[in-house]
């Protein structure tokens, strides 16, 4: 009977999905088997990850990409990069769509509930970006204003603590700059190193350091799916080697000019 055949086919499919879910292969062994490590990132975050056309070809580059390449090299595999919205990174780790997220991501306690993090490799502070012509100079001036942030970031968290502002959450930081340019928002709350990079293009904007909005958060770390201590150890040894060899300093110089 046709119906039976269909039902048994469905059952077989369900069972094989369930079984594949059970096989607890670590990310590291999957990566080694496939010969590829997939990095997820949100490439709107210069100088850590951004798009640039090189020899007519769209390329994602930056500090985090150099770090990812060092990790791939250590593991003896190829690097593949997937560009997605920042909020998609942790779900993509959990579903195994990506092997590691490197996206200037702070290892916050909240995120630690869902993913594992490497040692920290960078720290940045929150700043406000406004038009040069703006009369916003301090936190008080922000009352009643609209502030753009990248959705799901520590800047988003910080903005939620500022009283009396409207928050415009955007998936891509580039859109925050277009919004500020067009006057749809009055300011962007973001991190200083990234603001520095954007301001090289947006000459009609400036950065304001506002002490009150900065609270101590853990630095940037590489995130992997939970339960992958073996991969975390490998990544930590790459970070340590980069620092010990002076390569880390060179990367800072190359990307931040520091
Ligand atoms: N450091 C911030 C955070 O962890 C923002 C990261 C945004 N990264 C990106 N590639 N757009 O929430």
């Amino acid at each position: 009977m046709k119906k039976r055949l269909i039902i048994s086919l469905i059952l077989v499919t369900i069972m094989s999905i369930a079984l594949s879910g059970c096989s607890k292969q670590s990310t590291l062994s999957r990566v080694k088997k496939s010969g590829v490590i997939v990095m997820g990132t949100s490439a709107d975050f210069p100088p850590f990850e951004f798009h640039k056309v090189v020899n007519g070809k769209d390329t994602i580059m930056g500090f985090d990409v150099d770090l990812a390449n060092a990790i791939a090299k250590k593991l003896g595999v190829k690097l593949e990069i997937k560009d997605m919205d920042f909020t998609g990174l942790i779900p993509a780790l959990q579903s195994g769509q990506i092997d590691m997220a490197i996206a200037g991501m702070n290892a916050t306690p909240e995120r630690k509930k869902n993913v594992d993090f490497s040692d920290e490799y960078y720290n940045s502070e929150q700043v406000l970006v406004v038009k040069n012509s703006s009369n916003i100079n301090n936190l008080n001036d922000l009352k009643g204003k609209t502030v753009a942030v990248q959705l799901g970031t520590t800047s988003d968290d910080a903005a939620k603590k500022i009283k009396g502002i409207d928050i415009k959450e955007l998936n891509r930081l580039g859109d925050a700059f277009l919004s500020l340019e067009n006057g749809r928002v009055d300011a962007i709350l973001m991190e200083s190193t990234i603001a520095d990079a954007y301001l090289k293009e947006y000459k009609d904007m400036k950065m304001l350091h506002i002490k009150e909005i900065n609270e101590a958060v853990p630095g940037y770390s590489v995130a992997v799916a939970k339960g992958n201590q073996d991969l975390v150890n490998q990544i930590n040894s790459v970070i340590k080697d980069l620092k010990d060899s002076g390569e880390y300093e060179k990367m800072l110089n190359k990307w931040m000019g520091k």
Side-chain angles (χ1 to χ4, degrees):
M1 225 176 145
K2 228 182 180 183
K3 208 170 168 192
R4 244 194 218 153
L5 186 67
I6 293 175
I7 290 174
S8 49
L9 271 177
I10 290 174
L11 279 177
V12 168
T13 316
I14 290 174
M15 272 166 60
S16 54
I17 291 174
L19 277 176
S20 70
C22 286
S23 70
K24 263 215 207 111
Q25 201 186 28
S26 79
T27 304
L28 185 58
S29 56
R30 187 181 64 213
V31 163
K32 287 204 164 150
K33 217 174 274 170
S34 68
V36 179
I37 190 159
V38 182
M39 161 196 186
T41 195
S42 171
D44 56 358
F45 207 64
F48 290 92
E49 45 265 341
F50 57 101
H51 286 266
K52 196 176 169 177
V53 177
V54 181
N55 298 328
K57 206 175 148 233
D58 175 49
T59 313
I60 296 175
M61 57 173 71
F63 186 98
D64 284 346
V65 178
D66 283 2
L67 174 58
N69 270 310
I71 294 167
K73 194 172 162 203
K74 162 104 180 171
L75 302 177
V77 297
K78 275 208 191 122
L79 177 69
E80 187 188 312
I81 304 176
K82 280 198 181 143
D83 185 11
M84 54 184 78
D85 289 345
F86 188 74
T87 49
L89 290 169
I90 289 183
L93 280 174
Q94 290 172 325
S95 68
Q97 208 196 326
I98 59 173
D99 302 311
M100 59 179 177
I102 316 187
M105 187 187 284
N106 298 83
T108 63
E110 198 52 42
R111 291 172 184 157
K112 273 189 186 150
K113 291 179 194 156
N114 298 310
V115 290
D116 286 345
F117 281 107
S118 73
D119 291 339
E120 298 175 9
Y121 63 88
Y122 195 80
N123 268 295
S124 198
E125 58 158 340
Q126 303 290 339
V127 293
L128 272 179
V129 172
V130 297
K131 286 257 184 82
N132 288 336
S133 57
S134 163
N135 48 19
I136 297 172
N137 295 304
N138 55 46
L139 215 49
N140 270 337
D141 298 338
L142 273 186
K143 289 253 155 69
K145 304 279 193 218
T146 306
V147 179
V149 293
Q150 184 170 26
L151 180 66
T153 59
T154 50
S155 304
D156 196 355
D157 295 340
K160 285 177 180 146
K161 291 184 187 144
I162 304 173
K163 294 205 176 81
I165 61 165
D166 278 326
I167 304 175
K168 193 165 170 69
E169 296 170 310
L170 298 164
N171 271 316
R172 293 286 177 166
L173 211 38
D175 290 336
F177 277 86
L178 293 179
S179 300
L180 182 56
E181 183 85 87
N182 299 333
R184 286 195 298 265
V185 302
D186 303 294
I188 305 169
L189 185 60
M190 59 184 296
E191 289 166 293
S192 59
T193 308
I194 296 82
D196 264 330
Y198 271 99
L199 291 189
K200 286 191 185 122
E201 276 180 42
Y202 289 90
K203 303 272 185 217
D204 56 336
M205 297 176 190
K206 63 181 176 188
M207 181 157 58
L208 300 176
H209 293 267
I210 294 181
K211 263 215 199 105
E212 304 93 292
I213 54 181
N214 274 293
E215 50 178 52
V217 287
Y220 296 175
S221 293
V222 180
V224 301
K226 267 225 166 295
N228 282 291
Q229 193 55 45
D230 50 355
L231 180 55
V232 169
N233 290 343
Q234 297 281 337
I235 296 171
N236 286 345
S237 85
V238 171
I239 294 173
K240 186 175 184 305
D241 287 349
L242 289 174
K243 287 190 173 164
D244 291 349
S245 66
E247 190 57 36
Y248 176 83
E249 207 54 40
K250 278 191 202 148
M251 282 161 62
L252 289 182
N253 242 312
K254 171 178 170 193
W255 296 110
M256 289 86 172
K258 277 186 186 132

